Amino acid sequence: MRHATPSGLDVFLRRTEPSQLHDWAFDGYHSREEYLFWSRKVCGLACLQSLLHGWTDIRLPMRELLALALDRGCYVVEPQGKVHGLIYRPFMAWVSSQFGFACQLVENTPIQESARAVRPGQVLIASVSPEIRDPRTYEPRRGGHLVLVHAVHGGMVRFHNPSGYSHNADSASLPMRIFERFHARRGILVSATS
C-alpha cells in the first residue's frame, strides 16, 4: 500500500492484517473472522457512530449498532454471504425513530448543491468511491463507500472517512471539485433533532 504523508512524502506500508491493527473485541465482535467480514461494510454505521458521539451521550459498540441495523433491514445478507447495504430508507427510518435524528434522502444531486445544507447540527452522509482516500486516483468509480461531510468552507469539503489513513480519517479535506470526482451524487442529510 502506498500513500502520501501530510508532508507529501510517499510512504510504502507493508501489508498488515486489519484485525492486528484494531481491537475488534472492544467493538463487540465475537471473533476476528466476524470483524474481518463486517469491517469493510460498516462505513455508514461508522458515520452514525460519529454522530452519536458528537450529538448525544449514546455510546454503542460497532457490533451492537450492526445488530440493530440488521434487525431494521439496513443490510440484507444473502444465504451465500453477499451483503447489500447500507440501504438508505430503512436506515433513515431507524435513526429517526431510535435516535431522534431527522433524515432527508439526497439523490441525483451534485455536491455543490447538497453541501449548501451542511452546517452545525446538519451533516451529509455522502456516497463516494472508496478511492477518495487517494485524491490522485484518475477516473475513480463513484459510490460504494460512505463518508461524513461535516463542514464546507471556501470551496473545501471537510469529512470523516472511516477508511482513511491515520492522518486523514478523522478530518480529511478536499477541494469541492476533487470531491465531486468521487461523489455518487447521493447520500443522506442528517440533522441533530427531528
Side-chain angles (χ1 to χ4, degrees):
M1 181 185 301
R2 174 180 168 268
H3 75 96
T5 65
S7 65
L9 296 174
D10 280 339
V11 175
F12 292 87
L13 303 174
R14 67 179 178 14
R15 188 166 176 84
T16 305
E17 176 68 44
S19 64
Q20 294 174 349
L21 300 174
H22 184 73
D23 184 357
W24 50 265
F26 178 79
D27 273 344
Y29 290 101
H30 300 106
S31 68
R32 175 181 162 275
E33 291 72 25
E34 182 183 45
Y35 165 74
L36 289 173
F37 178 80
W38 284 105
S39 64
R40 294 177 188 229
K41 300 170 180 68
V42 293
C43 49
L45 294 182
C47 293
L48 173 61
Q49 198 173 48
S50 291
L51 296 178
L52 291 172
H53 287 199
W55 292 345
T56 75
D57 59 359
I58 298 169
R59 303 293 181 265
L60 296 173
M62 182 56 73
R63 184 58 180 93
E64 191 172 335
L65 275 177
L66 176 59
L68 293 168
L70 287 165
D71 285 345
R72 295 300 295 265
C74 302
Y75 295 91
V76 174
V77 183
E78 292 181 359
Q80 62 271 36
K82 183 174 181 180
V83 177
H84 299 277
L86 183 85
I87 303 171
Y88 289 3
R89 283 180 175 81
F91 176 80
M92 291 166 47
W94 169 48
V95 300
S96 294
S97 66
Q98 183 152 0
F99 305 116
F101 298 159
C103 297
Q104 178 185 342
L105 185 62
V106 175
E107 295 179 292
N108 302 312
T109 306
I111 189 62
Q112 294 84 348
E113 187 176 327
S114 55
R116 289 186 203 130
V118 175
R119 59 183 176 273
Q122 184 159 300
V123 297
L124 174 67
I125 298 176
S127 177
V128 297
S129 164
E131 299 161 315
I132 197 166
R133 69 182 181 173
D134 186 357
R136 298 170 297 185
T137 302
Y138 182 71
E139 293 186 7
R141 61 187 171 152
R142 291 179 182 231
H145 179 51
L146 296 168
V147 298
L148 183 65
V149 176
H150 59 85
V152 180
H153 297 293
M156 295 294 287
V157 179
R158 295 186 56 84
F159 58 98
H160 296 302
N161 183 1
S163 71
Y165 298 117
S166 59
H167 72 275
N168 70 2
D170 286 343
S171 194
S173 61
L174 286 176
M176 196 173 297
R177 64 182 169 71
I178 294 176
F179 188 94
E180 177 65 24
R181 283 195 353 241
F182 299 89
H183 188 236
R185 302 169 65 96
R186 65 181 176 268
I188 303 168
L189 281 170
V190 183
S191 300
T193 56
S194 56

